[in-house]
Amino acid sequence: MPGPFNTRQLLRLDEALRLADSATGLAFSIYVGEIEEPSREYAVTLHRQLTDPDASVLIAVSPNQRLLEIVTGAQARRRIPDRDAKLAALSMVASFGGGDLAGGLVSGIDQLASRAGKI
C-alpha cells in the first residue's frame, strides 16, 4: 500500500527535517498515521520513544481522523512556547484543508525551527 507522499514530497520533508535539526540542534520528527484516542496521550507516548525526547519535537498527524498534535520535549519547549506551536499548527491545518499534506508539514517544520532559533 503506497504512503501519502510521492518521492518528491518525501525528499522535501527529509530536507526540511534535516535543515531544522542542523539549524536548531533539536530533533524534529513526523508521524503520519492513525492516532489512538486520547490523541494527546498517544502523541506523547510516541514522543517518549524518540532517541532524545527532551530535545525533540514531534508532529503527529492523522489525515483520515483530522487530528494534529505537536509535542515538544522540555528543552525544545523552552525555545518553542505553546503559543508558537499552536500558530504553526493553525498554518499546517490550513494547508491540510487545501489538500497539501506535505507542504503543510514542511511549512510547520520551518515555522517551528524558526521560532526555536539557531543553536
Side-chain angles (χ1 to χ4, degrees), residues 2-119:
F5 306 113
N6 62 35
T7 302
R8 183 170 174 234
Q9 291 169 325
L10 286 171
L11 291 171
R12 283 180 58 212
L13 287 166
D14 185 60
E15 178 76 357
L17 290 167
R18 189 182 60 72
L19 290 172
D21 289 358
S22 65
T24 65
L26 299 173
F28 286 78
S29 299
I30 297 170
Y31 169 85
V32 178
E34 294 300 306
I35 297 176
E36 296 175 13
E37 293 290 343
S39 61
R40 183 68 185 174
E41 284 79 3
Y42 186 74
V44 168
T45 299
L46 292 174
H47 181 264
R48 285 189 193 129
Q49 295 171 15
L50 298 172
T51 304
D52 184 5
D54 280 346
S56 295
V57 177
L58 172 68
I59 301 170
V61 62
S62 175
N64 294 338
Q65 296 169 285
R66 296 178 167 254
L67 291 173
L68 170 67
E69 295 285 349
I70 299 174
V71 183
T72 52
Q75 183 181 343
R77 193 173 309 114
R78 285 192 290 274
R79 296 170 57 191
I80 306 170
D82 286 347
R83 178 184 169 279
D84 292 320
K86 287 176 185 171
L87 290 172
L90 287 172
S91 174
M92 285 187 275
V93 167
S95 291
F96 299 163
D100 190 6
L101 181 60
L105 288 168
V106 168
S107 174
I109 292 164
D110 182 58
Q111 287 178 31
L112 293 166
S114 293
R115 181 59 186 123
K118 304 281 183 205
I119 300 174

